[in-house]
Amino acid sequence: MADDKAQAEERRGSTLAEGLASDEDAAVLAKLGYKQELRRNFSTIEVFGPVGMVWGWFLANFFIFVVGIAMADLGSAMPTSGGLYWWTHYFASPRTRNPLAFLVGYSNTLGLVGGLCSIDYGFALMFLSVIVIARDGNWTPSSGDVYAVFLGCVLLHGVIATIGQRVMGRLQTVFVVMNLVLIAATLIALPIGRVHTRNSRGFIFGQVENLTAWPTGWTFMLSWLSPIWTVGGFDSCVHMSEEAANATKAVPQGILMSIGSCWVIGFAIMITIAACIDPNLQNVLGSSFGQPMAQIYYDALGKKGALGLMSLLFIVQFMMGISILVAASRQSWAFSRDGALPFSTFFRPISKTFGYIPLRAIWGCVIGAAVLGLLCLINNAAAEALFSTAVSGQQLAWATPIFCRVVWGQQKFKPGPFYTGRWSVPIAWVAIVFSAYVILLCMFPVTGPNPTPQTMNYTVVISSAVWGGALLYYFVDARKWFKGPKITLNLDDLSESQERALEAEGLNIEDLNVTASQSKAEQQ
């Protein structure tokens, strides 16, 4: 009888998944208070030469991996699309949870959309560099040309994210294969092409080229900006957690594999590039192709080789943009699900026609990226500020829930299958300090002190506007209605054990039937 009752409870609690997820995954999401609904450009060469490329990459990725471990602890315990701000709200103190969750949600959302801008802007530059190579450097694209390619890329990403949901898994497989081909081609072709002119080990691992006005030590730290930007989308695993099978294990594995593979493979690529680059770095930085990597390929492989590898590179960059758009749309949808975004009731519905995807959130992110991309038409300083803002916004969003957990919420933390045990808190503090440091690092002008209006880093202006604006919006208006993550479960769909879990974790389970009815009405 007891077994029958338990099985009945399990069946009752799993009806909310109905073909969208396994019972186990839906139960984990239910524990968090939700029902299942979902089926830059910094140059390391410029700031520190080979040492910055090689050792800057290695050391920065070590600390990024630490941040990933701290996030994996949380992702395994609480996998949900709105993970970062959900975790913040759950772990923070009663007085701080709502404003901090609101701040993290906006910082993460705009950081992801800014990341989409920077990736697609990079695609535009790579795509146009191929045309410049084909024309032997006799054509220079205008800012309008760059934006036109950027806009076309963003719109095409929106179309693919809309109609390609059912084949997204296969697209990711293609993405991985093309990445591996590009990596193998770079690691093999560059050394062969430069077999008689490769640089020495002393140059690769010890050559310092400080082309800025900063002291040498600080310049080395600025060289970390490139890997920090490059390895910056690992939280996509968190935002896709409601569409991942066995999310309590898949999310931490995805985070650590993403960072770890970038760390190791990227280190090998940096060594290869340092071995094959023109020792006169000014020739690379001042390339008529507009992209240092295009010049490096050209020097080693000639025109045809450069055309081939740069074409492969911009295709990989394009597919990376698809991934970040999907992550940005899921975060935006999750935030609108909790009523925090403007026009949340518009962005909230899930499209059943296109395969249970947040269609309106996808196109909201596309339009937002297209508008933000207009900054690129102003000048390079505005573009770089946008990209740095994406980095600082993400760092704030990563560090805040980790901080809230170790300061206020350690007693409420219930580990998932992945857990670092007694090392969890020390790892969390290292992650917090590193993220705070990176935010500070993003604010510095790369070329040196006493910047001109053209070389000024305006990240501090944009970031302050985003963070200050979000908090001002909260305290002026949103505090009246934003109470943190909403629960979209109907009490009738919950097992007794799930109800007890919700109550034990401090989630409001009142008026669930009303919330569920509203949710269903929005989807019709």
Side-chain angles (χ1 to χ4, degrees), residues 241-265:
S241 59
E242 294 183 30
E243 296 164 85
N246 199 10
T248 57
K249 295 180 180 179
V251 170
Q253 288 172 357
I255 291 172
L256 299 182
M257 287 180 64
S258 173
I259 302 172
S261 60
C262 287
W263 183 8
V264 174
I265 297 173

Side-chain angles (χ1 to χ4, degrees), residues 283-502:
N283 292 338
V284 177
L285 295 172
S287 170
S288 61
F289 302 144
Q291 285 284 291
M293 208 55 223
Q295 187 65 52
I296 293 170
Y297 282 140
Y298 188 90
D299 290 341
L301 306 171
K303 180 177 178 178
K304 290 183 178 179
L307 284 172
L309 287 181
M310 283 304 297
S311 296
L312 186 57
L313 184 58
F314 77 63
I315 292 171
V316 169
Q317 184 85 354
F318 178 85
M319 300 190 75
M320 190 189 308
I322 297 174
S323 299
I324 200 72
L325 173 58
V326 171
S329 65
R330 271 52 177 182
Q331 160 60 22
S332 302
W333 171 78
F335 209 32
S336 67
R337 174 174 63 183
D338 297 329
L341 284 181
F343 312 109
S344 286
T345 55
F346 174 80
F347 290 114
R348 169 68 180 83
I350 291 296
S351 171
K352 297 180 181 179
T353 303
F354 289 95
Y356 290 90
I357 62 169
L359 180 64
R360 296 179 183 181
I362 289 173
W363 285 96
C365 291
V366 167
I367 294 171
V371 173
L372 287 175
L374 291 171
L375 288 173
C376 302
L377 294 174
I378 300 174
N379 53 36
N380 288 335
E384 291 187 6
L386 173 62
F387 306 153
S388 296
T389 299
V391 174
S392 61
Q394 289 296 74
Q395 293 290 336
L396 179 73
W398 297 340
T400 304
I402 300 172
F403 176 84
C404 291
R405 175 208 151 186
V406 295
V407 172
W408 294 301
Q410 188 60 24
Q411 298 302 316
K412 293 189 289 184
F413 177 66
K414 297 179 182 179
F418 176 90
Y419 180 50
T420 50
R422 62 191 181 93
W423 294 101
S424 182
V425 172
I427 287 172
W429 277 114
V430 173
I432 292 164
V433 172
F434 175 73
S435 291
Y437 179 70
V438 171
I439 293 173
L440 178 66
L441 198 64
C442 289
M443 307 297 172
F444 278 77
V446 174
T447 55
N450 304 315
T452 66
Q454 290 72 34
T455 61
M456 173 63 184
N457 186 346
Y458 293 96
T459 304
V460 63
V461 178
I462 299 178
S463 294
S464 297
V466 171
W467 298 334
L471 289 175
L472 181 64
Y473 177 34
Y474 173 80
F475 285 108
V476 171
D477 181 60
R479 64 181 177 82
K480 303 172 185 176
W481 47 263
F482 180 74
K483 304 302 178 184
K486 292 181 180 179
I487 298 171
T488 61
L489 291 168
N490 190 312
L491 280 174
D492 294 336
D493 289 336
L494 292 173
S495 66
E496 292 180 5
S497 59
Q498 288 172 331
E499 291 180 29
R500 288 194 299 269
L502 287 169

